[in-house]
Amino acid sequence: MPLKVTLRQVMYRLADGYVQRADLVVRAPEAGVPVLLVEVDRRSEDAHELVAKLRRYWEWGRLLAKDADKRTVDMVRSRQDAIEQVGHEKRLWRRVYPPTGREGLVPVAFVFADTTEAKVANTIAELEEAGRRYWAPRRYDTLYEKAVTARDYRQAVPVVVTTLEQLQEHGAGAEVWRRLGRTGEQTLTDALDNPDGHDLYHAQEARAEAEDKRRRAAEPEAQRPVCRRCGRKFSDERWEEITMHRTAVRAGDKSVCGPCRADDVARQETAAEAARLKAAAPPEPQAGPEAKRGRGLLRRRP
């Protein structure tokens, strides 16, 4: 893997004036590694000191650029975690290095040399556990927590580890790098990539949102009333008519659909019209006493 390495210590001044020094800076954009800060440990530092170094890299990655606007400066000063609302392009590290092409802060590599495998394993375990706040991704703040398994790496320092002996034997492009939080060794680019990060989040969020819309659309449909008389589902208009207060009082039998309700109204109107016509019709003439006598005189005698 072609590498451009700055063979000198690079210093980073923190907010409290402390100066952090990186042993090496790897620049290999053509190999997918725009920047990598390298710490070489030759048994001169214990795990706690390496955790402190990692913390300082994390703190440096959270500093604002000196040319940040006053509004952003005031916001960051207003509360401790406000810097997380500021994009990386406005932070100090982006005035020093180009974008990494991945989520997170500038990646850091710890290369162990002149030591035993057991000590390396113990140191990495301590670095992984005690430094979790600085390298570990977080859960995304989403409405779909059960559906989204992706992790948010935006505020984390990607940390990879290896040994000088592995680099000398296999080369930096081989599968000799382990990312904190993972098992097994990978190539450097694979170790720095975040397959469970931003891209997966957007895909899972989109799927979850689509499923939620489908579910919400199906819920009312499952509750749509069915006509007790003919078995048809209620139309939207009929459903609204029987549930809205202003129309429910005139909705009639709420267990029947619109067409059946229309049939009921038609029958009621027909019956009402028949009753009106009957009430308006003149009464039939009734026979009086004289008419009865006349009919009696005309009756045939036996």
Side-chain angles (χ1 to χ4, degrees):
M1 179 175 65
L3 299 176
K4 178 183 177 182
V5 182
T6 302
L7 297 175
R8 61 183 176 84
Q9 284 194 332
V10 182
M11 297 183 294
Y12 309 98
R13 188 174 297 278
L14 303 180
D16 60 2
Y18 186 91
V19 176
Q20 173 84 342
R21 292 176 172 84
D23 294 328
L24 300 172
V25 177
V26 174
R27 303 287 299 276
E30 67 284 355
V33 186
V35 59
L36 176 68
L37 308 182
V38 180
E39 289 286 338
V40 180
D41 177 29
R42 296 180 179 273
R43 294 188 297 179
S44 58
E45 297 171 299
D46 62 23
H48 296 291
E49 291 175 301
L50 298 184
V51 171
K53 278 191 172 183
L54 176 56
R55 173 181 56 79
R56 289 193 289 267
Y57 281 123
W58 179 77
E59 290 175 348
W60 182 71
R62 294 166 69 87
L63 294 179
L64 270 180
K66 293 182 179 180
D67 59 353
D69 59 88
K70 184 178 184 302
R71 180 175 175 275
T72 302
V73 172
D74 291 343
M75 181 190 71
V76 170
R77 288 175 176 172
S78 67
R79 64 181 191 278
Q80 188 175 8
D81 61 348
I83 186 63
E84 296 180 2
Q85 307 304 316
V86 179
H88 291 284
E89 69 279 358
K90 295 184 179 181
R91 301 193 192 182
L92 177 61
W93 76 264
R94 278 295 310 278
R95 300 298 184 268
V96 181
Y97 297 117
T100 65
R102 302 172 175 88
E103 308 103 290
L105 305 176
V106 181
V108 174
F110 288 96
V111 178
F112 301 97
D114 304 327
T115 186
T116 64
E117 291 185 6
K119 184 175 180 181
V120 170
N122 292 336
T123 301
I124 292 175
E126 180 68 22
L127 184 62
E128 200 163 36
E129 181 61 31
R132 180 171 298 274
R133 178 184 179 185
Y134 314 117
W135 64 259
R138 307 172 184 176
R139 291 190 64 89
Y140 272 99
D141 184 11
T142 173
L143 296 174
Y144 312 108
E145 290 185 358
K146 293 183 178 179
V148 174
T149 61
R151 291 294 181 263
D152 184 356
Y153 289 88
R154 290 175 294 179
Q155 308 304 323
V157 176
V159 178
V160 293
V161 296
T162 189
T163 66
L164 185 59
E165 289 74 19
Q166 285 181 302
L167 292 176
Q168 291 172 337
E169 181 178 356
H170 303 289
E175 295 181 356
V176 296
W177 303 91
R178 183 167 89 77
R179 174 84 171 260
L180 292 194
R182 301 179 189 172
T183 58
E185 295 176 331
Q186 301 174 284
T187 64
L188 182 56
T189 52
D190 285 346
L192 292 175
D193 286 343
N194 302 310
D196 59 341
H198 193 65
D199 291 343
L200 179 62
Y201 165 71
H202 279 294
Q204 291 181 332
E205 180 92 342
R207 286 196 297 268
E209 186 175 2
E211 175 60 23
D212 185 55
K213 287 181 179 178
R214 186 203 63 76
R215 180 186 56 78
R216 285 189 281 112
E219 281 179 352
E221 195 60 32
Q223 298 172 5
R224 185 180 294 274
V226 175
C227 181
R228 186 180 64 181
R229 188 177 302 166
C230 70
R232 287 180 293 193
K233 287 187 175 183
F234 281 29
S235 65
D236 292 341
E237 293 77 8
R238 178 59 175 164
W239 194 2
E240 181 179 351
E241 183 182 29
I242 68 171
T243 53
M244 297 293 289
H245 176 72
R246 57 185 173 81
T247 57
V249 294
R250 301 188 301 275
D253 185 354
K254 296 182 178 63
S255 68
V256 298
C257 64
C260 289
R261 168 60 179 159
D263 292 343
D264 289 347
V265 171
R267 283 193 294 270
Q268 292 169 2
E269 290 178 348
T270 299
E273 180 64 15
R276 186 186 67 79
L277 293 175
K278 182 178 180 180
E284 294 182 4
Q286 297 183 359
E290 295 297 329
K292 290 181 180 180
R293 278 199 300 270
R295 287 198 300 270
L297 292 173
L298 294 174
R299 209 165 29 198
R300 183 182 297 178
R301 293 180 180 179

